[in-house]
């Protein structure tokens, strides 16, 4: 009995590690992660696309590091548990219920997003504004593909 | 006149890059950044402190990268503009008005937070659970010092 309890506790801990918590918490954390991504992508857009005269290499590197780290942080695996197509985090979720039937496409889009974010981190480090702008375009396209597939339009 | 306008526009772009936007937006972004940090610190706490039997090196590295990138992302410089001790992002801010009179202490605490986050990223990469636990304790202490100084208790 004691070892069964230990196994049950260990399994429950594993589950906790895999998914972040109750539905509302998963939604709030993913909204936070996307908002954090939005803040950092806005900095790169401002400094490498819209106003290259304000380009600040250190700030762009920091933003690209933040984007890459967030892309690789396991958002999809840990914050999109069953039932999270309904519910309110900071605000009601915009996840389409079809999300759960589109796992193959979603995984592929996630892999592209991670690849583009890692590449952006690399070109930001190199510091060539034209390269950063071009790579930022690819990252943006990968964001948009996923939004079009699984996010309700506002 | 034309060049004065260009300078004014450039300066305005620089200001935009330095502060994220209106008060409510700065508050929402910083609440998102801290929530993103909270999600990632919770993973390290679960896997290196509370349930070391669930330790997953890749997940802990990813979480430590996320924490370090967020710590270095310029939260304090870009999201704590004048007036942001009042206002609602995702929820009302808990920033104490004294924040603006305690800049020297705050900067020092931020430097410590960044140092501890960078060190956590290093020990996570090395993969020794005891080292990660010890360093996570130092990071947590640096979080707490700042909360005690500038955040209203709930």
């Amino acid at each position: 009995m004691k070892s069964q309890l230990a196994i049950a506790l260990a399994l429950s801990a594993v589950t906790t590690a895999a998914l972040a918590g109750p539905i509302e918490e998963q939604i709030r954390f993913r909204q936070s992660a996307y908002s954090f991504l939005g803040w950092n992508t806005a900095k790169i857009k401002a400094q490498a696309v819209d106003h290259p005269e304000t380009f600040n290499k250190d700030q762009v590197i920091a933003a690209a590091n933040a984007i890459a780290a967030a892309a690789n942080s396991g958002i999809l695996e840990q914050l999109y548990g069953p039932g999270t197509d309904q519910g309110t985090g900071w605000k009601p979720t915009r996840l389409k219920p079809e999300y759960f039937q589109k796992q193959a496409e979603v995984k592929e889009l996630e892999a592209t997003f991670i690849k583009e974010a890692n590449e952006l981190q690399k070109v930001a480090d190199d510091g060539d504004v034209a390269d950063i702008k071009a790579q930022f375009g690819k990252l943006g396209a990968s964001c948009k593909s996923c939004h079009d597939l699984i996010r309700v339009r506002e």
Side-chain angles (χ1 to χ4, degrees), chain A residues 18-85:
Chain A
L19 285 173
I23 286 175
E24 310 286 304
E25 191 171 297
Q26 290 177 52
I27 297 174
R28 195 175 70 244
F29 280 146
R30 72 191 187 208
Q31 289 171 343
S32 297
Y34 293 129
S35 183
F36 179 70
L37 278 165
W39 171 47
N40 285 288
T41 52
K43 284 185 260 183
I44 297 186
K45 184 170 184 294
Q47 296 187 26
V49 181
D50 296 339
H51 304 284
E53 73 280 8
T54 67
F55 184 77
N56 175 317
K57 192 180 173 189
D58 289 342
Q59 281 187 15
V60 168
I61 288 176
N65 286 343
I67 294 166
N72 286 281
S73 68
I75 295 172
L76 210 64
E77 294 70 24
Q78 296 161 33
L79 301 177
Y80 279 83
T84 61
D85 55 325

Side-chain angles (χ1 to χ4, degrees), chain A residues 65-125:
Chain A
N65 286 343
I67 294 166
N72 286 281
S73 68
I75 295 172
L76 210 64
E77 294 70 24
Q78 296 161 33
L79 301 177
Y80 279 83
T84 61
D85 55 325
Q86 301 272 339
T88 297
W90 295 117
K91 59 179 182 177
T93 186
R94 290 167 66 194
L95 185 63
K96 292 182 185 168
E98 303 95 277
Y99 169 82
F100 296 101
Q101 278 78 55
K102 297 196 171 171
Q103 287 306 294
E105 278 165 282
V106 169
K107 291 267 171 217
E108 206 182 308
L109 292 176
E110 186 200 29
T112 306
F113 173 56
I114 291 173
K115 181 175 77 70
E116 304 300 8
N118 291 346
E119 184 63 23
L120 182 64
Q121 188 176 33
K122 226 176 80 189
V123 297
D125 209 46

